[in-house]
């Protein structure tokens, strides 16, 4: 060795000693770092004290990746690195195990990784356009419910009626927008979770086709679930809001979002005279007078503008909902409930956790009883399909979904040549609080309730998740206690659908539908387009909105005195 080796050793050790003294207290440390060069003001500071290192040190590599991927509190690449750098110093002091120390370089790389991760999220796209996320809004526990309530933050009420729900799962976002509390928001949709609260609260939204907007950074029903595809879409107070948001998010794929085609917002031209199909009710349950009136008023407004509107019947809608129920319950909601552990569960989840795992003989007995004694073959068919499935059965059901999609194209789009479809969002304008909180000791009634809440009420929204069509929602009118009562002519018109659901909604001493109690609640319609025609849907939303004219929706339409405060 060279005579200068001791000098080299001393220099190298001195370098190591100096590097071990790298400042590990960062100038900024935030739970969700902003994009590169962004302003850090107002961000929530992560605890960087040495006493908080232990949870990072006890996690293995896989767990660390999952925590950071999920955006869990206090988990960033930089924060994890600091914990391990501190521990490495302690190990060095005890065992002299280190040679090269690269803390400074590693910190810069960790910060770059955090910034890159942030850019893969929907939030970063909004920030890049000058938007500032400032609140997060309430959702139901597990986000697969149509009332917005959870054990942590409680219940969100409808801005227009304290006795009725704002809808779910994006009920907090819809209520905030309806109250002019935000200019724009975003929600997810796998069976109507974006569109239902949009209609309940009187705002605007679009559920794009699955492959138009990234869902990275959002919470999914269950990672890897593809039986019915989750979609992310904007919510706002005007069609302009929806178009602006879609121009921002459409086709914005990332290195990690490999399945999203790079198909940005495209300019489209629509005919001066459009041909719309429409239906005011469906085969599952008759729509309420207020909902039917909303569709009829939309049709009349379009006809006055010279557009053609043709009434039609959805082909075998019960089959579509059978497929929807079967797909979402196929793995018995195990992944959806897994993260809850011993946490308290909202009452609305009881039947979803019990019904899919009932023994086959009991399920068949319940279905037979419903068909025989309640004279309800529709509900009987749905009960039989709300269950767990083998892989073989799941694949077969996915094939049935694909065949139904092809059938819908043949028998609706190709047969009629429609530009779009006008239809209800739901059979009801809204539902009273606790609609899903029906607990009974009678197994038969429990299973019926479970199937009802899972698939029947959102039938007209779930249909378009099955066929994966883009759909916009536009507010049309409000429930009128004079116009929208149940009349003899309404009772005598059309098919009831499921006798059990019909009786729950409209009969008995306390039916869910009560035009007097619902007076003033908004009612919207869906505007449906063909695959890959999301931009045309937005154009048709504007056509409908303009045809309906001024009707008391949009910015400034809400007053804080419109409803009583929640408990």
């Amino acid at each position: 060795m060279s005579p200068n080796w001791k000098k080299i050793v001393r220099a190298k050790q001195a370098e190591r000693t100096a590097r071990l003294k790298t400042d590990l207290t960062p100038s900024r440390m935030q739970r969700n770092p902003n994009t590169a060069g962004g302003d850090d003001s107002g961000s929530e500071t992560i605890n960087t004290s040495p006493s908080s290192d232990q949870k990072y040190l006890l996690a293995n590599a896989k767990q660390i990746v999952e925590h950071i991927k999920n955006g869990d509190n206090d988990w960033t690449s930089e924060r994890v690195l600091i914990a391990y750098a501190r521990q490495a110093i302690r190990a060095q002091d005890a065992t002299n195990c280190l040679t090269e120390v690269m803390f400074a370089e590693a910190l810069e790389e960790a910060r770059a990784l955090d910034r890159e991760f942030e850019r893969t999220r929907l939030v970063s796209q909004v920030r890049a356009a000058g938007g500032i996320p400032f609140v997060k809004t309430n959702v139901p526990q597990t986000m697969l419910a149509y009332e917005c309530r959870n054990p942590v933050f409680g219940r969100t009420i409808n801005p227009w009626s304290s006795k009725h729900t704002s809808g779910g799962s994006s009920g907090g976002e819809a209520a905030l927008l309806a109250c002019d509390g935000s200019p724009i928001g975003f929600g997810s949709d796998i069976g109507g979770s974006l569109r239902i609260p949009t209609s309940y609260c009187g705002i605007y939204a679009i559920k794009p086709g699955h492959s138009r907007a990234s869902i990275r950074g959002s919470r999914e029903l269950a990672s890897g679930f593809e039986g019915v595809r989750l979609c992310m879409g904007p919510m706002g107070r005007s069609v302009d809001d929806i178009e602006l948001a879609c121009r921002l998010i459409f086709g914005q794929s990332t290195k990690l979002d490999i399945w999203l085609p790079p198909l940005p917002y495209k300019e489209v031209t629509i005919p001066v005279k459009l041909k719309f199909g429409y239906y005011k009710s469906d085969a599952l349950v008759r729509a309420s007078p207020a909902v039917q009136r909303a569709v009829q008023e939309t049709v009349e407004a379009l006809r006055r503008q010279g557009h053609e509107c043709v009434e039609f019947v959805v082909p075998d809608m019960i089959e579509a909902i059978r497929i929807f129920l079967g797909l979402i319950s196929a793995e018995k909601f195990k992944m959806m409930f897994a993260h809850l552990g011993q946490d308290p569960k909202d009452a609305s989840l009881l039947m979803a956790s019990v019904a899919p795992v009932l023994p086959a003989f009991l399920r068949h007995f319940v279905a037979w009883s419903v068909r025989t004694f309640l004279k309800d073959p529709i509900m009987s068919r749905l009960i039989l399909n709300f269950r767990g499935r083998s892989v073989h059965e799941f694949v077969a059901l996915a094939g049935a979904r694909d065949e139904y999609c092809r059938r819908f194209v043949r028998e609706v789009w190709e047969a009629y040549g429609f530009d779009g479809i006008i239809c209800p969002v739901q059979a009801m304008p809204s539902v009273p609080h606790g609609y899903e909180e029906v607990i009974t000791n009678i197994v038969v009634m429990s299973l019926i309730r479970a199937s009802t809440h899972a698939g029947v009420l959102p039938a007209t929204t779930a249909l378009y998740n099955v066929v994966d069509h883009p759909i916009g929602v536009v507010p049309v009118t409000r429930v009128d206690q004079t116009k929208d009562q149940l009349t003899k002519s309404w009772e005598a018109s059309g098919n009831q659908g499921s006798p059990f659901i019909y009786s729950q909604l409209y009969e008995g001493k306390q039916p869910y539908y009560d035009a007097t109690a619902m007076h003033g609640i908004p009612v919207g319609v869906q505007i449906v387009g063909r695959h890959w025609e999301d931009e045309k849907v937005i154009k048709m939303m504007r056509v409908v909105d303009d045809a309906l004219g001024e009707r008391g929706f949009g910015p400034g339409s809400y007053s804080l005195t419109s409803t009583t405060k929640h408990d």
Side-chain angles (χ1 to χ4, degrees), residues 16 78 83 100 115 124-125 173 192 263 296 354 366 372 400 406 418 479 482 503:
R16 181 183 66 176
E78 184 182 8
E100 300 286 343
R115 291 193 294 268
S124 69
Q125 297 175 29
E173 195 79 5
L263 183 63
Q296 187 62 42
V354 172
V366 171
T372 304
R406 289 188 285 267
F418 294 143
V479 179
T482 301
S503 67

Side-chain angles (χ1 to χ4, degrees), residues 216-502:
R216 286 197 61 81
S218 65
R219 296 289 183 177
E220 299 182 57
L221 175 66
S223 180
F225 179 77
E226 296 187 352
V228 182
R229 306 300 293 272
L230 178 72
C231 299
M232 184 67 63
M235 308 163 73
R237 297 174 296 166
S238 69
V239 179
D240 285 340
D241 297 340
I242 304 307
E243 181 180 339
L244 175 66
C246 289
R247 287 181 179 276
L248 168 65
I249 65 174
F250 277 7
Q252 297 301 308
S253 59
T254 70
K255 295 177 182 178
L256 298 180
D257 205 352
I258 59 176
W259 302 117
L260 187 70
L263 183 63
Y265 194 96
K266 58 183 184 291
E267 302 298 334
V268 297
T269 302
I270 62 174
V272 175
K273 178 182 178 182
L274 294 163
K275 183 178 182 179
F276 289 97
Y278 75 94
Y279 56 92
K280 294 186 289 185
S281 192
D282 57 64
L284 280 168
V285 64
R286 186 185 303 167
S288 63
V291 168
Q292 291 197 27
R293 180 170 62 83
V295 175
Q296 187 62 42
E297 288 184 359
T298 303
V299 168
E300 292 173 356
L302 289 169
R303 284 173 172 164
R304 286 195 295 269
Q305 299 300 314
H307 302 290
E308 181 181 3
C309 298
V310 178
E311 191 167 12
F312 77 105
V313 177
V314 173
D316 200 356
M317 190 171 195
I318 297 171
E319 171 65 4
I321 305 309
R322 180 194 76 84
I323 293 169
F324 175 79
L325 278 177
L327 289 172
I328 65 167
S329 63
E331 59 95 40
K332 305 176 184 178
F333 301 114
K334 289 181 180 180
M335 292 184 69
M336 185 179 78
F337 290 126
H339 73 283
L340 296 182
Q342 299 302 311
D343 291 352
K345 293 182 177 65
D346 191 82
S348 64
L349 301 178
L350 177 63
M351 288 302 102
S353 61
V354 172
V357 299
L358 284 179
F361 79 89
L362 185 55
R363 183 181 313 283
H364 282 273
F365 172 74
V366 171
W368 173 82
S369 300
V370 170
R371 185 174 61 253
T372 304
F373 300 112
L374 296 183
K375 309 297 182 185
D376 195 337
I378 294 175
M379 185 57 63
S380 175
R381 183 179 178 186
L382 297 181
I383 288 170
L384 287 173
N385 282 275
F386 193 55
R387 62 178 178 84
R389 280 175 160 72
S390 66
V391 174
H392 173 77
E393 290 175 312
F394 180 81
V395 172
L397 194 60
R401 174 204 60 202
D402 294 345
E403 177 52 39
Y404 185 85
C405 292
R406 289 188 285 267
R407 179 183 177 185
F408 195 91
V409 171
R410 289 193 308 269
E411 298 184 17
V412 178
W413 296 113
E414 293 183 357
Y416 291 96
F418 294 143
D419 290 294
I421 296 169
I422 307 294
C423 62
V425 176
Q426 280 195 335
M428 301 281 283
S430 179
V431 290
H433 294 301
Y435 172 78
E436 298 192 272
E437 190 181 348
V438 182
I439 303 173
T440 173
N441 292 324
I442 303 174
V443 175
V444 173
M445 297 302 290
S446 295
L447 188 51
I448 295 173
R449 293 282 187 177
S451 299
T452 299
H453 300 153
V456 173
L457 185 60
T460 53
T461 52
L463 164 66
Y464 296 109
N465 292 95
V466 172
V467 298
D468 190 24
H469 283 4
I471 312 105
V473 175
V474 169
V476 176
T477 186
R478 300 177 186 275
V479 179
D480 188 293
Q481 61 187 352
T482 301
K483 297 178 181 178
D484 298 322
Q485 295 291 338
L486 299 176
T487 63
K488 292 187 181 299
S489 60
W490 177 87
E491 292 172 357
S493 64
N495 180 25
Q496 286 186 355
S498 163
F500 177 78
I501 301 300
Y502 182 91

Side-chain angles (χ1 to χ4, degrees), residues 93-106:
D93 290 341
T95 67
N96 189 38
C97 60
L98 303 182
T99 56
E100 300 286 343
V101 178
M102 300 169 286
F103 290 163
E105 297 90 334

Side-chain angles (χ1 to χ4, degrees), residues 54-124:
Q54 194 69 5
K55 69 177 181 180
Y56 307 104
L57 302 178
L58 292 177
N60 62 35
K62 181 179 179 180
Q63 291 168 335
I64 290 171
V65 170
E66 288 300 315
H67 280 300
I68 295 175
K69 176 183 175 183
N70 293 337
D72 291 342
N73 290 348
D74 297 349
W75 287 84
T76 66
S77 299
E78 184 182 8
R79 180 63 186 92
V80 172
L81 174 62
I82 287 172
Y84 280 89
R86 285 171 175 162
Q87 188 67 2
I89 293 171
R90 290 188 285 269
Q92 167 63 16
D93 290 341
T95 67
N96 189 38
C97 60
L98 303 182
T99 56
E100 300 286 343
V101 178
M102 300 169 286
F103 290 163
E105 297 90 334
L107 281 169
E108 287 304 310
E109 186 172 351
R111 291 162 183 158
L113 286 171
D114 286 332
R115 291 193 294 268
E116 177 65 20
F117 180 69
E118 183 69 6
R119 281 194 292 269
T120 69
R121 294 167 177 264
L122 174 65
V123 168
S124 69

